[in-house]
Amino acid sequence: MGMFSSIFKTKSSKEEKPKEKENQTASGLSFGIIVILVFAFKSSILDANNIPSGSMIPTLKIGDFLFVNKMRYSFRMPFTEKELIRIDDPKRGDIVTFIPPSAALAQEESRTGIFAKRFVKRVVGIPGDTVRITRKYLDTKDRGRVHFAFFEYKESGSNEFVSYEPREIPIGKELSDLDNLDATQRALYVEKKPGFEHYIIEGYEDDRRAHIFEYCDFAKGCEIPQGQYMVMGDNRDDSHDSRAWGFVKREDILGKALIIYFSIDWKDFTCEYKDGLELATKGPEYAERYEGAELESRCHASEVFSSHNFRYRDEESRFGWIERTLKYRLWRLSVRFDRIGRILK
């Protein structure tokens, strides 16, 4: 009896080992399929993006996380950006993600590959529009004199230029949680687009003039070619956009910004100021700051605003970023709960 029992146990254990291997293989295969499906979904249907720069302030703030509808305009081959089926075309005022033209990229940046650069801007001109920009000095209630880039367009077949009717509004709290010192000091406007309004900001600077006449004389007006779009950032003084490097081809437009699903204010560039609303209303020279040991515990040396209105940030290693994040950034961050769930227009 004991001999038969031992033989049975030996045979059973031999049968269990192949089953364990089969289960492990099946689990690994199913996990791999799930990963592939998730990335296929991300590349073709719904993508998640983080906003690292201030070109779309105040509509999109540094630290916003948003979903992008990748099927709004086209269906593209998964894991590539090759357009298979065209569904619709961008509308005037849409916030779009796109492959930037080569002229828009720095030497070390690329349009293709794993680390390909992608831009987020707002469509202000569509194919057939004649567009022009008139620069005007305007006096504002909150910001003194600003240098306003007044944008107008003339639709195909029309003889009249129209604008998006910008109008100044009070600063309020809209600029009180910006991780961008310059943007906190700009004037706040709203512009009209078909069916909605949105914020833009303008200041005294005008850094979009350097290359403005290379492909279009905006002062006189020029026509947007078929299959191309003009895009601009809502932060008009700090947006590298069509004014500098040209129009965007339709096939390079990848998706439409859909919703903000999370938002973090890291305070990388405003960490020394005690109150964001006071910073926006009084300015960096007069707003109350942290000092001494309190400042040292809150801000890294590279994050502190100098007396010459200049910031420096050495080329930071990955380890340096981790160290700065663990020591400073995590302890001062705040979540912008009022932005979570905001539908983008």
Side-chain angles (χ1 to χ4, degrees):
M1 185 73 176
M3 181 178 68
F4 285 115
S5 177
S6 62
I7 292 172
F8 179 77
K9 287 180 180 178
T10 303
K11 184 177 180 181
S12 177
S13 64
K14 287 181 179 179
E15 289 176 351
E16 286 174 359
K17 288 182 179 179
K19 286 183 180 180
E20 287 179 6
K21 290 182 179 180
E22 287 178 9
N23 290 337
Q24 290 174 356
T25 302
S27 297
L29 183 61
S30 61
F31 178 76
I33 292 172
I34 290 172
V35 170
I36 291 171
L37 289 175
V38 167
F39 279 97
F41 182 85
K42 184 178 185 294
S43 67
S44 297
I45 300 175
L46 189 69
D47 197 6
N49 292 63
N50 174 36
I51 302 300
S53 69
S55 69
M56 282 294 292
I57 290 173
T59 306
L60 296 175
K61 299 180 179 181
I62 297 172
D64 279 352
F65 293 81
L66 60 146
F67 285 128
V68 175
N69 184 354
K70 297 289 287 286
M71 282 191 65
R72 176 63 181 84
Y73 307 122
S74 305
F75 179 72
R76 297 175 184 269
M77 184 181 295
F79 305 109
T80 75
E81 290 171 337
K82 180 177 175 57
E83 188 179 34
L84 298 178
I85 301 172
R86 185 160 293 185
I87 299 170
D88 197 4
D89 289 320
K91 302 296 188 292
R92 200 182 300 279
D94 285 359
I95 300 174
V96 298
T97 61
F98 59 94
I99 304 169
S102 299
L105 298 174
Q107 187 173 1
E108 68 276 7
E109 295 173 332
S110 174
R111 300 176 83 238
T112 60
I114 298 175
F115 301 105
K117 188 79 172 179
R118 297 294 175 257
F119 283 9
V120 179
K121 306 287 183 188
R122 189 183 296 276
V123 173
V124 295
I126 62 177
D129 282 354
T130 298
V131 296
R132 71 182 181 190
I133 298 174
T134 306
R135 285 169 167 74
K136 301 179 178 182
Y137 287 102
L138 301 177
D139 291 319
T140 68
K141 295 178 181 178
D142 295 318
R143 298 298 191 229
R145 178 163 289 191
V146 301
H147 200 189
F148 196 96
F150 189 75
F151 182 89
E152 297 172 288
Y153 67 96
K154 181 171 62 177
E155 293 184 276
S156 179
S158 174
N159 295 318
E160 183 181 358
F161 277 96
V162 296
S163 76
Y164 290 127
E165 303 178 30
R167 70 179 191 276
E168 184 190 0
I169 62 172
I171 295 300
K173 293 184 178 181
E174 193 59 37
L175 304 185
S176 66
D177 59 351
L178 302 184
D179 196 7
N180 182 306
L181 197 63
D182 292 331
T184 65
Q185 302 308 301
R186 295 189 174 124
L188 184 65
Y189 291 82
V190 292
E191 279 192 342
K192 288 185 177 180
K193 296 297 186 294
F196 70 98
E197 293 183 335
H198 67 89
Y199 293 119
I200 66 167
I201 56 174
E202 275 277 19
Y204 192 82
E205 310 96 321
D206 184 11
D207 56 344
R208 300 279 72 85
R209 292 181 296 176
H211 309 292
I212 201 164
F213 298 116
E214 290 186 2
Y215 76 100
C216 172
D217 187 345
F218 283 112
K220 295 179 179 178
C222 64
E223 184 175 329
I224 301 176
Q226 290 303 311
Q228 298 187 40
Y229 293 79
M230 182 169 180
V231 297
M232 292 171 65
D234 290 346
N235 184 356
R236 294 291 165 81
D237 280 345
D238 193 16
S239 174
H240 188 50
D241 55 37
S242 286
R243 293 171 289 175
W245 41 252
F247 304 127
V248 179
K249 294 180 180 178
R250 168 62 185 84
E251 57 265 29
D252 288 338
I253 295 178
L254 302 175
K256 182 178 185 296
L258 185 62
I259 187 173
I260 297 172
Y261 68 88
F262 198 60
S263 183
I264 296 176
D265 184 0
W266 290 100
K267 299 181 176 65
D268 287 336
F269 297 98
T270 57
C271 65
E272 66 194 282
Y273 295 96
K274 292 188 175 183
D275 184 79
L277 183 58
E278 185 183 50
L279 173 63
T281 54
K282 292 185 177 180
E285 299 295 336
Y286 301 102
E288 189 175 3
R289 306 182 196 181
Y290 294 100
E291 296 180 355
E294 198 173 14
L295 176 63
E296 290 179 7
S297 67
R298 183 177 174 82
C299 301
H300 186 270
S302 66
E303 300 168 337
V304 177
F305 177 69
S306 78
S307 59
H308 298 292
N309 195 26
F310 177 75
R311 288 181 178 279
Y312 67 93
R313 177 74 56 80
D314 294 330
E315 290 189 9
E316 192 174 43
S317 66
R318 189 176 296 274
F319 176 78
W321 179 87
I322 293 172
E323 182 182 29
R324 183 167 60 90
T325 297
L326 293 176
K327 189 173 181 179
Y328 299 99
R329 302 174 81 229
L330 284 176
W331 310 107
R332 64 171 188 245
L333 71 83
S334 61
V335 177
R336 302 185 184 105
F337 289 103
D338 61 320
R339 295 182 66 76
I340 298 174
R342 183 175 295 190
I343 304 296
L344 296 168
K345 295 181 178 181

